[in-house]
Amino acid sequence: MLDLFNHPMRLHADPSRVVVRPFHIAWQAVNGMPSRTERLVKAVLELSPAETRAQLAIVLKDFEARHWQTRRVFMTRYDEIEAQMGLDGSQIGDEKRQLIGAYFCHEYSYAAAALMNPSAVPHHDQSGMPKGSMRILMSLRAVGEGHISSVAFREGIITDTNDLVLAPEPPFCTAADAIGDELEMPEGAVTVYRHRDSTLSGTLLFPITKAQSNGLEDMRLTHFTHDDGSAEWLGTYTAYNGSVIQSEMLRTRDWREFDLVPMTGSAARNKGMGLFPRKVNGKYMMIGRQDGENIFLIESDSLTHWDEGVKLITPKYPWELVQMGNCGPPIELDEGWLMLTHGVGAMRKYSIGAALLDKNDPSKVIGRTSQPILAAADQDREGYVPNVVYSCGALRHGDKLFIPYGVADSSVAFAFVSIKSLLGVM
């Protein structure tokens, strides 16, 4: 019998959570005429000191209490505009510079529509934890205006008695950003930095490259151990530009600096890639779903290049006949690699199951659940996309599995399950 405890806590979309983002106006001049950016800056520079002070006062009255160090944000944005336009800042007063910066920012409600599809890893700071407790870090998919997805984080503590306490969200949220952000979205890999005064629970990863312009979706975090024993936190996610998807990887060792790296190879054109937390038999290994229906095992000599794999698990039971996929990276046990799966059945109802892979040869499936361990039911069915439960990554804590999961693409719920009982129903 499955020993599963559903925690009463739920996280929901919250339109009051806002972040200041750069506002991009067409930069290039056309037919020799000044660009919109140049015209806007010129108009502000021509304001009298009194007009400048009055307009800045209106902006600060509306927004200063809603954001962290608003004036500094405006000044930082001004510096970026100055660098692009070749302005002489020494001839421009602070008030004008702040006002120019404000014209090139906008407020974005990043979780107004939905909060969903979490993954969890051990927090990098376990200091002061009593026996039986673990500090955790979760990534969550936050969906805001225009159905644009970004990655939010929450820190918390779990215990061996099924308790969960989340660190409070700070009143302000800041977006990690590139140094010297360009007026146009960059291409390829990019490095972004957490604001020096921001906690992780108050940090957002917002789309910054052209490939990401319509969203960063469904991050699957992994605490990865390299051959030399060093640790790195890696997160596979889907970058979406409005028409094309691309798998990318977050890489960080300190949770201050984040590399966002596009992955290459034929498998990287698909969603839902889940990385094993270490090499197996000298190879990096990934779970994927190249055909959108079955679960594949992929191996590579590179963390960021993934070609076609071998079919590992196909739909078998009624609750997974439409399609299958992983619910996060495999988790290492003495018994093998434990992998949560998702299945889609009649009426596009999602359920979460599990499979156990051989520890030395993950292409061998030792067992799988014939019934879901979690399924959309009762009040959990209603939401932005009905009848969905979905996780991007569970976490082992002692003899239990902590499973954060999205409900109806709208909210986040939490469950604890005994690993022994889970293996027992396979």
Side-chain angles (χ1 to χ4, degrees):
M1 181 177 178
L2 187 65
D3 178 12
L4 184 141
F5 171 73
N6 279 297
H7 196 279
M9 182 184 293
R10 293 287 189 275
L11 300 180
H12 297 277
D14 183 358
S16 72
R17 301 295 295 174
V18 291
V19 68
V20 174
R21 289 294 303 151
F23 175 51
H24 300 281
I25 300 177
W27 169 253
Q28 297 298 329
V30 179
N31 297 326
M33 300 295 291
S35 68
R36 289 178 62 194
T37 297
E38 293 169 318
R39 295 198 301 272
L40 177 54
V41 170
K42 181 174 184 291
V44 177
L45 291 176
E46 290 175 348
L47 293 175
S48 70
E51 290 173 318
T52 300
R53 190 172 302 111
Q55 291 303 311
L56 182 60
I58 292 172
V59 172
L60 294 175
K61 178 177 180 294
D62 286 343
F63 297 102
E64 191 166 28
R66 291 166 62 86
H67 300 283
W68 179 256
Q69 298 183 333
T70 310
R71 294 171 188 257
R72 182 187 292 180
V73 171
F74 292 163
M75 290 293 277
T76 299
R77 191 65 178 131
Y78 166 79
D79 289 342
E80 295 162 358
I81 301 300
E82 178 186 276
Q84 291 293 328
M85 293 188 61
L87 299 173
D88 183 0
S90 65
Q91 303 301 311
I92 303 173
D94 282 357
E95 290 180 336
K96 262 193 206 306
R97 288 192 285 173
Q98 289 178 35
L99 187 58
I100 290 171
Y103 272 104
F104 290 90
C105 290
H106 72 125
E107 192 175 69
Y108 183 78
S109 180
Y110 64 87
L115 192 68
M116 57 187 180
N117 299 358
S119 69
V121 288
H123 198 282
H124 52 287
D125 179 9
Q126 295 295 329
S127 61
M129 283 293 97
K131 185 178 180 180
S133 297
M134 175 189 287
R135 189 172 286 117
I136 65 168
L137 174 63
M138 290 188 296
S139 66
L140 306 104
R141 178 178 172 185
V143 184
E145 176 190 352
H147 198 73
I148 294 176
S149 297
S150 52
V151 178
F153 298 101
R154 288 299 296 271
E155 298 159 287
I157 296 172
I158 58 174
T159 73
D160 54 8
T161 56
N162 302 335
D163 291 325
L164 167 64
V165 178
L166 294 182
E169 287 184 299
F172 306 104
C173 184
T174 58
D177 218 340
I179 300 298
D181 177 39
E182 301 293 336
L183 287 179
E184 298 296 334
M185 283 185 151
E187 300 274 10
V190 64
T191 300
V192 297
Y193 301 84
R194 184 174 122 206
H195 192 284
R196 59 183 174 273
D197 297 321
S198 178
T199 66
L200 272 170
S201 294
T203 296
L204 186 74
L205 296 182
F206 198 80
I208 196 167
T209 70
K210 290 182 178 179
Q212 304 165 356
S213 55
N214 273 57
L216 306 175
E217 303 177 357
D218 299 346
M219 180 169 286
R220 288 158 162 81
L221 287 175
T222 306
H223 181 228
F224 190 88
T225 302
H226 291 279
D227 288 344
D228 63 2
S230 65
E232 186 176 12
W233 282 264
L234 306 175
T236 54
Y237 61 92
T238 303
Y240 179 54
N241 69 2
S243 59
V244 176
I245 61 172
Q246 164 74 43
S247 284
E248 297 189 350
M249 179 178 290
L250 171 144
R251 306 186 67 167
T252 185
R253 291 183 182 269
D254 59 7
W255 292 100
R256 284 284 176 183
E257 179 178 322
F258 308 87
D259 294 326
L260 305 179
V261 184
M263 291 192 284
T264 58
S266 57
R269 69 177 185 274
N270 302 290
K271 295 183 176 183
M273 301 181 75
L275 180 69
F276 282 66
R278 64 171 175 84
K279 283 184 176 180
V280 182
N281 298 324
K283 296 284 189 179
Y284 298 107
M285 288 200 173
M286 187 87 77
I287 298 295
R289 51 171 187 168
Q290 283 96 309
D291 60 3
E293 179 183 359
N294 303 285
I295 296 176
F296 287 75
L297 177 67
I298 319 165
E299 62 178 43
S300 176
D301 293 320
S302 166
L303 268 173
T304 57
H305 182 89
W306 299 91
D307 289 319
E308 296 304 309
V310 296
K311 192 176 295 185
L312 182 65
I313 299 177
T314 61
K316 178 179 180 181
Y317 301 108
W319 54 276
E320 59 189 19
L321 289 181
V322 173
Q323 69 184 51
M324 294 189 70
N326 70 72
C327 275
I331 297 165
E332 187 168 9
L333 307 176
D334 291 340
E335 296 83 354
W337 295 100
L338 178 61
M339 178 179 65
L340 293 186
T341 65
H342 76 259
V344 182
M347 290 295 293
R348 200 173 176 268
K349 179 181 175 179
Y350 276 64
S351 302
I352 295 176
L356 186 67
L357 311 179
D358 186 89
K359 196 164 184 174
N360 297 315
D361 183 1
S363 66
K364 296 179 180 178
V365 179
I366 298 174
R368 58 193 286 193
T369 53
S370 60
Q371 299 293 329
I373 62 174
L374 286 166
D378 302 328
Q379 73 273 15
D380 287 345
R381 295 176 58 185
E382 310 302 336
Y384 189 58
V385 181
N387 304 306
V388 171
V389 292
Y390 195 87
S391 178
C392 286
L395 169 65
R396 181 186 182 181
H397 179 46
D399 60 359
K400 294 181 180 179
L401 206 62
F402 170 65
I403 309 175
Y405 62 97
V407 176
D409 277 8
S410 299
S411 62
V412 173
F414 308 95
F416 293 85
V417 61
S418 158
I419 294 174
K420 182 178 179 181
S421 72
L422 180 55
L423 297 179
V425 298
M426 290 187 184

